[in-house]
Structures are given as C-alpha cells and as structure tokens.
Amino acid sequence: MSFRLSATPLDPAALQRALVDVRAGACVTFEGWVRNRNEGQAVLALDYEAYALLAEKEGAKIVAEARMKFAVLAAHCVHRVGHLPLGELAVWVAVTAEHRGAAFDACRYIIDEAKARVPIWKKEHYAGGATAWINCATRGDHADAIRPVG
Amino acid sequence: MSFRLSATPLDPAALQRALVDVRAGACVTFEGWVRNRNEGQAVLALDYEAYALLAEKEGAKIVAEARMKFAVLAAHCVHRVGHLPLGELAVWVAVTAEHRGAAFDACRYIIDEAKARVPIWKKEHYAGGATAWINCATRGDHADAIRPVG
Amino acid sequence: MISLTVHYFAILREQRGLTEEKLTTRATTPTALYDELRARHHLTLPADRVRAAVNDEFVAATATLRDGDRVVFIPPVAGG
Amino acid sequence: MISLTVHYFAILREQRGLTEEKLTTRATTPTALYDELRARHHLTLPADRVRAAVNDEFVAATATLRDGDRVVFIPPVAGG
C-alpha cells in the first residue's frame, strides 16, 4: 500500500511487477494521460506542482481508506510532478484483489479521492501561449486564472 | 474496438501501446490472473477452452455495446485459451476515454458481460489431482463436475 | 429424419468423448436433440443449463433444426 | 504579534512572487491571515476557496495560529 510523487516518467510495466501475487484474481489499473483538449481549448502541455509532504501524507491516507473499505490485496498510486508533454502518464493507480468488484471499486475510490483531496495543482499551457491553473479561476471570465501571453 | 482469443501469453505493455491517443485523458485496464485458490480449494493451474468462432463474435458484440453505452475512444479485450499456470494473465481489457468515468464503466461492462456471455470454459486443476469445469456442477455435491483422480 | 453435425466443448466434450459427430435424428429442436443425446451418453447437465448455437449463432431452445445444420451445445460459460 | 513562515504554491506562489516568507502578524487564524495577505498582495482567490495547513497537517479555517507555525495556503487542487 503506497502513494508517492515522482519527478521522472513512470514505467507502468515495472510498477505493476511489484503487485504480482498468486492470491490475486484481478488487477485494475487507472492511468491519467495528458490530453490535447480541456473544455474546448487546445492544450500543449501541463505542469504539476505538489505540496510534497502533505500530498504524500494525504495520498497514503486515501490508499489506507481504500484498503479498509474494499477487500483488496494491494493498492498503489504514483503521481507525476513537473512539466509533462501531451500523452504523458500523469497518474497511475493499480489495485489487486481476489475478486474484480473490489479491485474496480478501490481503484476508482483512490483516483476520485486523490483528485479531490491531495494538494497537487495543474497548470495548462494552451496553443497561443496562455496558461491557467485548473479550478482556480475566479468570478466573471477566466481572466484571473488564465494568464495571457506577455 | 476488438475482441480476440490468444493461444500464447499476453504482453499487456505491447497491447496497451495500440491504445495511445492524445485525445484520451484516462485509460482503465482490467487483468484477470490465475489465482491459487477458488472457493476454498488450492488451485494449481487452469485450462481455458473456447468455441472460437462464436466467442469472437459475441466478444466483438460486447465491445461494440460498450462503445454505444459509454463515451469511450477505444476498447480492447483479449482472452487466453490453453493451459495456464498460477499467476498467468488470463484476460486483458483496456478502455481509453476523454474522462475516467466512462473508461471505468466500459471496462467493467466488458469484463462482466464477457464472463456471462462469451462461450469460454474454465477447468481448474486442484492440488491432489482432481479437476472441475467451473459453473458446471450438478445437483447434490460437486461429484458430477469434479472428476477425481484415477 | 435430418442429418446434423454436433460439436462438443468442455464438460460435454469430455463426457461424450469426442469433439464432433455427424448424426441423424427425429428431433426438430435443440432441446429435443439435447435430451436425446443426454440420455444416450449420460451427460450430466440438464437441458435448461445448456444453450444452443446453430451455424455459429445463438438460437432459442425451441428453434427449428434443419437438415445440414451445425449444432453446438454450450455448457455454462466461465471466462475471465 | 506572532512570527510565522508562510509557503506559497501554484497560483498563490505566482501571484505572491515567492515560495516562502517569514512574517509577523496580529492574525490569530488561517482565515484572518489569508485575508491580510490577500489584501496586501492582490491574491485573486477568496478565503473560502483556500484551505490551510499548519505544520504539514490540514487545519480548520478557524484554528489558532501559534508563534513559529509553518502555514501553507492550499488553492483548489487538481491532481490526476
């Protein structure tokens, strides 16, 4: 059971090898990828920034909660920080269990809670050069959160 | 969108590369592994047998249904046939989507429907030498489906 | 009387002792044919737990069998 | 007056123009301190959209700040 941040690219095949367990009948993984659009805008890249100490503490708490709520054998989550190009793996969650129901439910719980609670922030870089911190726009238009070029 | 059977071991990392898509924000995968116990019995290995022509037809129908029901970009399922040792990857399902909700829901739909509808059968080999075709026991004890040694 | 090919898989294959056979029958539906084969070969699964496919499509238990059909009886499945 | 260290992340770091500072304040709660900093540095997020952590633990907006605390204001998160 673990949660950690990584400043370097993730290797899902290598990460998954740590979960090998002959008691497990199911392994569910979630990968979050940097996609090329968000709310109608063309995205070129992302920056992820974390409050590392509290992020790892809160992430570990979420993984422990998943273990309490669902009959899982192992659960791991790794989240990238730094500058990520399109297509890059931003977050990886994997859960093993005897049965698939618990593996699906725990995997979804971990990513849903991580997105809502772990102090990690995402800045999108748009075609044209503007940037925005996601979820941080303030009233009216997005002018406060989207920083125009120059 | 595809469903296929494989008589040789699966390479999930290679299979997943076919799903790369910069429009995708989420990739959910399910792996079914051969586990060492089932309903209290120690399992040593499995045989999967398929009615290949109808299995691939029904599997393709399930994947197409998932595509209709959920906002997914791609969905693939590969199922092993043959003799599988403990820990072996028996079935792999992967779904990409813009958003994670659809990817989770479609992945679960595909594996749930595949287990219920695709003509594939599983024979378990137990410690001690007995075998049983799963779901094929008939009334009373399991004597009809479990074939004792010798 | 019609001539059919019957294919067996999994527990039915083991209990019948072969993977396919050609036969002639007075049965006109999958259920009637299965009951005939079940009695003859001591198959354990009752008809209501076996589905039928004809010419590689699932069919109803009461579908009409035609001369030359390829019939497959499908025990309870267990993929995954 | 108490002495505190304040750390800034993400949009707050950019708007404040630094990652941490030591300061003295009459504020006794995270909310009061945030409102003071928001007015001084023209931070855009209102206090009700910012959480607080003290010494690397989440705290209530009305928690009591103590001399020497390490305070972090947490804008809306967006992992994943």
Side-chain angles (χ1 to χ4, degrees):
Chain A
M1 306 287 160
S2 76
F3 179 96
R4 66 182 178 83
L5 300 172
S6 172
T8 55
L10 308 182
D11 177 349
L15 290 169
Q16 206 188 3
R17 276 195 286 277
L19 289 148
V20 165
D21 184 341
V22 292
R23 297 170 302 167
C27 179
V28 173
T29 64
F30 169 81
E31 295 188 5
W33 296 351
V34 178
R35 66 197 171 92
N36 66 357
R37 296 200 76 76
N38 189 24
E39 295 181 6
Q41 294 199 75
V43 174
L44 300 182
L46 296 183
D47 290 310
Y48 281 105
E49 181 171 338
Y51 172 8
L53 215 150
L54 190 52
E56 298 200 328
K57 206 181 278 188
E58 190 71 5
K61 203 169 149 191
I62 290 166
V63 171
E65 288 164 10
R67 185 181 199 171
M68 294 291 290
K69 286 174 193 287
F70 309 104
V72 307
L73 291 164
H76 294 280
C77 179
V78 188
H79 201 298
R80 280 295 312 277
V81 290
H83 187 77
L84 277 67
L86 287 189
E88 191 84 354
L89 176 53
V91 56
W92 176 87
V93 183
V95 177
T96 54
E98 285 189 35
H99 302 288
R100 70 188 184 285
F104 272 107
D105 291 345
C107 188
R108 184 140 192 191
Y109 180 83
I110 290 168
I111 187 62
D112 285 354
E113 294 295 309
K115 279 175 175 261
R117 291 163 48 186
V118 175
I120 296 175
W121 300 275
K122 175 160 61 180
K123 184 185 194 173
E124 289 184 340
H125 294 260
Y126 303 110
T131 62
W133 287 100
I134 299 308
N135 297 340
C136 293
T138 38
R139 83 179 57 162
D141 55 18
H142 285 217
D144 291 333
I146 297 191
R147 171 173 293 193
V149 202
Chain B
M1 305 288 159
S2 76
F3 179 96
R4 67 182 178 82
L5 300 173
S6 171
T8 54
L10 309 182
D11 177 348
L15 291 168
Q16 205 188 5
R17 277 194 286 278
L19 289 148
V20 165
D21 183 341
V22 291
R23 296 170 303 166
C27 179
V28 173
T29 64
F30 169 81
E31 295 188 5
W33 296 350
V34 179
R35 66 197 170 94
N36 67 355
R37 296 199 77 75
N38 189 24
E39 295 182 5
Q41 295 201 75
V43 175
L44 300 182
L46 296 183
D47 290 310
Y48 280 105
E49 180 171 337
Y51 172 7
L53 215 149
L54 190 52
E56 296 200 328
K57 206 182 276 188
E58 191 70 5
K61 203 169 148 191
I62 290 166
V63 171
E65 288 165 8
R67 187 183 197 168
M68 294 291 290
K69 286 175 192 287
F70 309 104
V72 306
L73 291 164
H76 295 280
C77 179
V78 188
H79 201 298
R80 279 296 310 279
V81 291
H83 188 75
L84 277 66
L86 288 189
E88 191 84 355
L89 176 53
V91 55
W92 176 87
V93 183
V95 177
T96 53
E98 284 189 35
H99 301 289
R100 71 188 184 285
F104 272 106
D105 292 345
C107 187
R108 184 140 193 191
Y109 179 85
I110 290 169
I111 187 63
D112 286 354
E113 294 295 311
K115 279 175 175 261
R117 292 164 47 187
V118 175
I120 297 176
W121 300 276
K122 175 160 61 180
K123 185 187 196 173
E124 288 183 340
H125 295 260
Y126 303 110
T131 61
W133 288 100
I134 299 310
N135 297 339
C136 292
T138 38
R139 82 178 59 162
D141 55 19
H142 285 216
D144 289 332
I146 297 191
R147 171 172 295 192
V149 203
Chain C
M1 298 286 277
I2 53 175
S3 294
L4 303 169
T5 310
V6 179
H7 294 252
Y8 299 95
F9 288 98
I11 193 171
L12 296 178
R13 174 181 54 71
E14 288 187 351
Q15 293 181 346
R16 177 64 188 92
L18 46 76
T19 61
E20 66 178 275
E21 62 182 333
K22 286 182 189 294
L23 51 79
T24 57
T25 181
R26 292 189 192 283
T28 58
T29 66
T31 292
L33 176 60
Y34 183 78
D35 282 335
E36 180 185 317
L37 296 168
R38 185 183 182 215
R40 190 181 308 154
H41 303 298
H42 309 290
L43 309 177
T44 53
L45 286 166
D48 64 5
R49 292 185 57 199
V50 173
R51 296 184 69 184
V54 171
N55 303 329
D56 303 319
E57 297 283 358
F58 286 114
V59 297
T62 55
T64 301
L65 295 176
R66 293 191 168 75
D67 194 66
D69 277 348
R70 224 162 72 81
V71 181
V72 182
F73 292 110
I74 297 171
V77 304
Chain D
M1 297 285 279
I2 53 174
S3 292
L4 303 169
T5 310
V6 179
H7 294 252
Y8 298 96
F9 288 98
I11 194 172
L12 295 178
R13 175 182 53 71
E14 289 188 349
Q15 293 181 345
R16 177 63 187 94
L18 46 76
T19 60
E20 66 178 273
E21 61 182 333
K22 287 182 189 294
L23 52 78
T24 57
T25 180
R26 293 188 191 285
T28 58
T29 67
T31 293
L33 175 61
Y34 183 78
D35 282 335
E36 179 185 319
L37 295 168
R38 186 182 182 214
R40 191 182 307 155
H41 304 299
H42 308 291
L43 310 177
T44 54
L45 287 166
D48 64 5
R49 292 185 59 200
V50 173
R51 295 184 71 186
V54 171
N55 303 329
D56 302 318
E57 298 284 357
F58 286 114
V59 297
T62 55
T64 301
L65 296 176
R66 292 190 170 74
D67 194 65
D69 278 349
R70 227 162 69 81
V71 181
V72 182
F73 291 110
I74 297 171
V77 304

